[in-house]
Amino acid sequence: MPATALTRPPAIWLRDNCPCGECRDPRTGQKLFQITELPAGLAVGSAHEVVAAGGGPGWEVVWQPDGHRSVYAADWLAAHAPDGAPPGAPGGAARHAGDGRTEADKELWAAGDLTGRVPEAGWDAYIGSREVRERALASVVRLGFVVLRDVPCRDRMVLDVAHTFGFVRPTNYGELFEVRVEADPNNLAFTSARITPHTDNPYRDPVPTLQLLHCLSNEARGGESGLVDGFHAAALLREREPEAFAVLTRVPVEFVFADARTELRAHRPLIDVDPLGRIREVRFNNRSIGTLHQPAAVLEEFYAAYWLFGELLERPELRIGFRLAPGDCVVFDNTRLLHARTAFVESGGRHLQGTYADLDGLLSTLAVLRREGARA
């Protein structure tokens, strides 16, 4: 690697990433300085090749004006330096990786794209094999879900599933909720009615990012489950109706939930994008949209866009349908996938247990599993 790799990036960026023990705590890897403590007028005074930590090639930089010395591994520079290797080139993948939450890190899909490759894993293999667990969790990140088969049909088992990769997120429904017909329901989910594609708990901010549903019994006629890739639908809307897409990213929607003990609300757009314009979250639930308070012209353009997006989400070719059997547990990204259910006959028993978790716990577990695999 030529020495220009050290002079091409902004000097302050390179110095901010100094890995030495004066700049980073060797136990935690965390920085020991504030950005305002770096001297003004930073510049590379000299640079020469050395052996970096770990024994690989590297570069030692002597900084002006303070004479601080930094050593950078050549492979770190290749992976991270601005204007370096393009995506897909050696080192480029790590440099361009996102945080696992936007469309940049996903494989968007319609129903036909998953024919013969619905992500699934048997429970015993998932528990017993690091490789199987890694693949299963990677499917949640990449495709938005995984179905675990033959999970023991016992009370509260869904909590044990969540603890294999993260932590349970309690809500007003408790740490666990029962999905079955209730005599006095506070949510249509606890009836036998048809439930159209939706995001759970859109009236929270942040919304629960992961949902788990574990089937304990399903003898009812009807009650088939469905999943829709909301990111794919949003990307189609952006391609076909860019103005409608833009409206749905900027108009806040009032989501509301209230019962005798709870009142929750959040004002968020149906489609959220990151600062680079990449789709980061879809929040769609017709049952929970409150009365919008906007000027008439804004309401006109919002409802036109809302209708277009809703029509896309209802298209059969975008939705995969399946029937959960006892022992099946589906884990899915609630910020991306919309889930649905057909109506069912109440005389048949249908009982699921659900819980919420957070994507950051799953991403952390997946990263550790990958580290362990690299060392194996």
Side-chain angles (χ1 to χ4, degrees):
M1 175 180 292
T4 53
L6 300 169
T7 57
R8 184 171 54 232
I12 193 169
W13 172 88
L14 191 61
R15 178 65 178 273
D16 188 46
N17 283 283
C18 176
C20 82
E22 293 180 33
C23 294
R24 288 181 182 268
D25 182 274
R27 299 159 299 179
T28 66
Q30 294 179 323
K31 291 178 183 175
L32 297 170
F33 63 92
Q34 296 292 331
I35 191 67
T36 53
E37 295 171 356
L38 296 180
L42 272 172
V44 174
S46 63
H48 64 276
E49 293 184 78
V50 295
V51 176
W59 288 88
E60 182 184 68
V61 172
V62 179
W63 290 96
Q64 293 179 345
D66 61 349
H68 184 80
R69 294 177 180 269
S70 304
V71 175
Y72 302 94
D75 58 359
W76 183 90
L77 289 167
H80 297 284
D83 305 320
R95 182 168 56 85
H96 287 269
D99 63 1
R101 293 172 174 82
T102 77
E103 62 180 307
D105 299 299
K106 314 294 185 185
E107 178 186 341
L108 308 189
W109 51 264
D113 300 322
L114 296 184
T115 301
R117 63 183 196 101
V118 169
E120 61 180 52
W123 177 248
D124 288 343
Y126 172 82
I127 289 297
S129 167
R130 182 197 60 76
E131 292 84 356
V132 172
R133 192 182 305 190
E134 180 182 329
R135 285 197 299 271
L137 300 183
S139 293
V140 179
V141 178
R142 189 181 73 259
L143 296 172
F145 74 107
V146 69
V147 181
L148 301 177
R149 307 287 189 187
D150 302 316
V151 177
C153 290
R154 63 171 182 261
D155 185 44
R156 302 176 68 83
M157 184 65 196
V158 70
L159 303 179
D160 293 341
V161 178
H163 288 145
T164 66
F165 59 76
F167 305 94
V168 170
R169 179 174 170 188
T171 68
N172 60 297
Y173 302 108
E175 63 176 359
L176 173 149
F177 53 90
E178 310 281 356
V179 185
R180 59 189 175 190
V181 175
E182 301 285 355
D184 186 22
N186 65 350
N187 192 306
L188 276 177
F190 309 136
T191 72
S192 62
R194 174 181 74 114
I195 304 293
T196 55
H198 66 283
T199 304
D200 256 30
N201 286 218
Y203 34 78
R204 298 182 188 278
D205 200 17
V207 69
T209 48
L210 290 178
Q211 182 170 352
L212 293 80
L213 291 171
H214 180 213
C215 181
L216 298 178
S217 65
N218 194 2
E219 300 169 356
R221 182 157 51 88
E224 281 74 29
S225 299
L227 293 172
V228 176
D229 186 351
F231 279 19
H232 177 58
L236 288 175
L237 184 69
R238 179 177 57 198
E239 175 187 341
R240 300 172 184 178
E241 300 285 350
E243 289 301 319
F245 177 87
V247 167
L248 296 187
T249 64
R250 67 172 182 257
V251 176
V253 174
E254 301 177 31
F255 292 102
V256 180
F257 174 83
D259 65 10
R261 296 180 299 121
T262 308
E263 184 164 337
L264 298 165
R265 62 186 64 242
H267 291 197
R268 300 294 299 166
L270 296 186
I271 301 171
D272 194 27
V273 296
D274 75 356
L276 298 179
R278 300 174 300 188
I279 300 164
R280 184 177 176 86
E281 180 180 297
V282 168
R283 192 180 293 227
F284 190 97
N285 189 320
N286 66 295
R287 291 174 286 136
S288 300
I289 290 182
T291 302
L292 273 66
H293 300 92
Q294 296 285 347
V298 174
L299 292 175
E300 288 281 0
E301 64 177 6
F302 170 80
Y303 272 94
Y306 176 29
W307 190 95
L308 288 170
F309 193 37
E311 191 274 334
L312 271 174
L313 291 169
E314 288 279 6
R315 290 189 179 183
E317 65 268 23
L318 266 62
R319 175 172 167 174
I320 61 166
F322 52 94
R323 183 176 179 83
L324 289 172
D328 289 346
C329 182
V330 59
V331 182
F332 62 93
D333 183 344
N334 187 51
T335 66
R336 173 187 174 185
L337 297 194
L338 285 75
H339 62 293
R341 180 191 74 205
T342 63
F344 61 94
V345 177
E346 291 190 20
S347 58
R350 186 180 189 274
H351 182 197
L352 312 181
Q353 287 187 329
T355 193
Y356 299 112
D358 286 312
L359 188 58
D360 55 3
L362 185 147
L363 289 167
S364 172
T365 299
L366 179 58
V368 171
L369 289 171
R370 285 172 169 166
R371 282 204 317 247
E372 293 172 351
R375 290 196 297 262

